[in-house]
Amino acid sequence: MTAPFGRGTRIAGTGRALPAEVVTNADLEKIVDTSDEWIVQRTGIRARHRAAEADTVFSLGRDALLKALDRAGVRADQLDMIIVATVSGEMLCPSTAARISEAVGAGEAAVFDLAAACSGFLYGLNLADTMIRCGRAERVAIIGVEVLTRLVDWNDRTVSIIFGDGAGAAVVVADPDPRKGCVHQTMHGDGRMWRTLYHPKCDRDVPAGDEANPIRLGHLRMHGREIYKFAVTRFQEAIQDALDRTGLKVGDVQQYICHQSNQRIIESAVEKLKLPPERVYVNIDRYGNTSAASIPICLDELYEAGRIEAGKPIILVAFGAGVTWASCVWNP
Ligand code: COA
């Protein structure tokens, strides 16, 4: 299947940056009433990275982008656009993308942040592909980066066990072959479900009915069960739709890259759609849920390991707060 327009796109390079500190489940056992066994069974998570005082969305995003540029052989001043997918940036104004642009020397590239939570990187990748395909840009950098551990109440065991910090980046460039790059994409949202995961800063942010929520203002509030049910359904639908719309068979896909939210959510899609488990990438055990950074970290690890071959499609799917969800069938 070929996407519209006369040219395609290519991921020229990827990179990732993780804070040095690793918090294991055993460390969490010392803070809240939980156990390694419960966390592993319910989520698949064994450890996550946590930002130190000096680590920021800006610094992690910058470092991931510098690696991606280096691997891509692209100079920062050749970029036309920098998209930073994040919901945990230090400042809303200016965008984190603007500060990263200055730090890497990207000159007059367009810069903006994209708040689609865990779907943010895929939203950005889909936008970048479309901009390049239709000739409005030649080289676009997409960075997915979060320090969600700063937004978490470490005494709230339902949320603190899940999230980790990190950054991943990709540099996407034009390719003369229109069969390359994104050949199918979807981006969706359902604002009626925003209350399932939100970050209230003051009283007026709190939705009616949730005033008695024991989690303090300034921390993430999550209704895990509701998100779980939504995610299981959407993951399966998004992958099935991607296969149907491209005419691909399950075995034609070399890698399924799912947002790393919960291993059980990924496994339910594997079982239902009979995906070959060895082609479904999982690294949640080492990183937890890094939200917008999760998919680009997976991509970077796969490219680094030489596990993404040219000419064989990959399918990427994500869901997140908002709620949002997105998919992409990519021909490397
Ligand atoms: N350690 C031990 N027990 C815990 C616990 C923890 N960290 N967190 C919750 N529990 C307890 C609950 O209190 C509950 O106890 P009870 O039965 O005595 O009331 C029991 O475990 C089951 O809780 P429940 O919330 O139903 O667990 P779950 O199987 O749904 O797992 C999540 C909880 C959060 C792991 C799961 O719902 C999930 O992953 N949801 C999706 C979250 C997500 O992806 N968020 C990000 C969106 S991108």
Side-chain angles (χ1 to χ4, degrees), residues 10 180 254 303 306-314 330-332:
R10 173 168 67 80
K180 292 216 161 171
Q254 63 168 315
Y303 271 110
R307 288 176 62 186
I308 297 198
E309 291 173 40
K312 292 186 188 164
I314 57 176
W330 188 274
N331 266 336

Side-chain angles (χ1 to χ4, degrees), residues 17-55:
L18 279 313
E21 189 196 0
V22 173
V23 178
T24 63
N25 293 346
D27 295 326
L28 287 172
E29 285 175 1
K30 292 176 200 144
I31 305 172
V32 283
D33 180 16
T34 191
S35 66
D36 176 55
E37 194 192 356
W38 192 96
I39 301 172
V40 172
Q41 257 180 21
R42 302 279 178 136
T43 69
I45 301 168
R46 293 178 187 277
R48 68 288 289 147
H49 290 249
R50 181 166 60 183
E53 196 51 37
D55 298 316

Side-chain angles (χ1 to χ4, degrees), residues 33-35 38-39 42-43 118 157-158 161-163 197 222 224-225 227-228 259 261-262 264-265 289 319-321:
D33 180 16
T34 191
S35 66
W38 192 96
I39 301 172
R42 302 279 178 136
T43 69
C118 309
R157 67 178 182 172
T158 64
I161 58 152
I162 287 180
F163 294 110
L197 179 54
M222 183 175 81
R225 274 269 122 194
I227 298 177
Y228 188 91
H259 165 50
S261 58
N262 182 321
R264 281 159 61 214
I265 295 175
N289 178 344
F319 71 90

Side-chain angles (χ1 to χ4, degrees), residues 7-325:
R7 63 177 184 169
T9 66
R10 173 168 67 80
I11 294 177
T14 58
R16 66 181 185 275
L18 279 313
E21 189 196 0
V22 173
V23 178
T24 63
N25 293 346
D27 295 326
L28 287 172
E29 285 175 1
K30 292 176 200 144
I31 305 172
V32 283
D33 180 16
T34 191
S35 66
D36 176 55
E37 194 192 356
W38 192 96
I39 301 172
V40 172
Q41 257 180 21
R42 302 279 178 136
T43 69
I45 301 168
R46 293 178 187 277
R48 68 288 289 147
H49 290 249
R50 181 166 60 183
E53 196 51 37
D55 298 316
T56 58
V57 164
F58 161 71
S59 70
L60 292 167
R62 173 200 60 201
D63 294 352
L65 176 59
L66 285 171
K67 283 184 196 141
L69 284 167
D70 187 45
R71 291 206 182 124
V74 169
R75 291 192 324 269
D77 64 5
Q78 294 176 307
L79 292 173
D80 297 312
M81 180 177 287
I82 300 176
I83 303 172
V84 174
T86 188
V87 290
S88 51
E90 287 72 44
M91 290 191 272
L92 278 176
C93 181
S95 65
T96 302
R99 295 168 63 214
I100 290 178
S101 171
E102 183 203 29
V104 301
E108 295 183 359
V111 283
F112 63 94
D113 292 357
L114 191 163
C118 309
S119 312
F121 180 84
L122 265 197
Y123 268 45
L125 185 67
N126 286 343
L127 288 172
D129 177 89
T130 307
M131 291 291 290
I132 295 173
R133 251 174 221 285
C134 72
R136 301 267 190 245
E138 295 297 318
R139 296 168 206 87
V140 178
I142 313 110
I143 305 166
V145 51
E146 306 283 7
V147 289
L148 285 181
T149 64
R150 289 219 175 101
L151 309 189
V152 161
D153 178 349
W154 284 82
N155 296 311
D156 172 13
R157 67 178 182 172
T158 64
V159 176
S160 63
I161 58 152
I162 287 180
F163 294 110
D165 301 331
V171 173
V172 180
V173 301
D175 189 284
D177 185 348
R179 290 167 301 181
K180 292 216 161 171
C182 176
V183 291
H184 170 70
Q185 59 167 271
T186 60
M187 292 190 270
H188 292 289
D190 185 348
R192 290 165 297 188
M193 282 186 71
W194 73 263
R195 293 165 190 80
T196 53
L197 179 54
Y198 70 103
H199 179 229
K201 291 194 178 133
C202 56
D203 284 329
R204 70 166 175 267
D205 297 339
V206 176
D210 213 22
E211 296 85 353
N213 194 315
I215 306 303
R216 281 178 297 138
L217 293 172
H219 295 108
L220 282 173
R221 295 179 178 186
M222 183 175 81
H223 298 276
R225 274 269 122 194
E226 278 179 63
I227 298 177
Y228 188 91
K229 281 191 238 154
F230 152 79
V232 164
T233 313
R234 289 294 179 210
F235 253 23
Q236 292 169 9
E237 285 175 0
I239 296 172
Q240 188 62 60
D241 170 70
L243 293 169
D244 293 345
R245 298 286 291 273
T246 51
L248 291 168
K249 301 270 173 295
V250 162
D252 297 334
V253 177
Q254 63 168 315
Q255 279 294 337
Y256 293 86
I257 305 178
C258 303
H259 165 50
Q260 307 287 303
S261 58
N262 182 321
Q263 192 161 340
R264 281 159 61 214
I265 295 175
I266 298 172
E267 277 167 4
S268 74
V270 169
E271 277 167 33
K272 179 93 182 184
L273 303 174
K274 302 197 170 33
L275 308 179
E278 68 283 2
R279 295 195 197 174
V280 181
Y281 195 63
V282 173
N283 62 14
I284 192 171
D285 52 324
R286 290 176 283 134
Y287 299 123
N289 178 344
T290 56
S291 187
S294 136
I295 289 209
I297 291 174
C298 290
L299 261 181
D300 187 48
E301 290 192 338
L302 283 164
Y303 271 110
E304 200 170 66
R307 288 176 62 186
I308 297 198
E309 291 173 40
K312 292 186 188 164
I314 57 176
I315 290 184
L316 307 105
V317 285
F319 71 90
V323 292
T324 55
W325 65 103

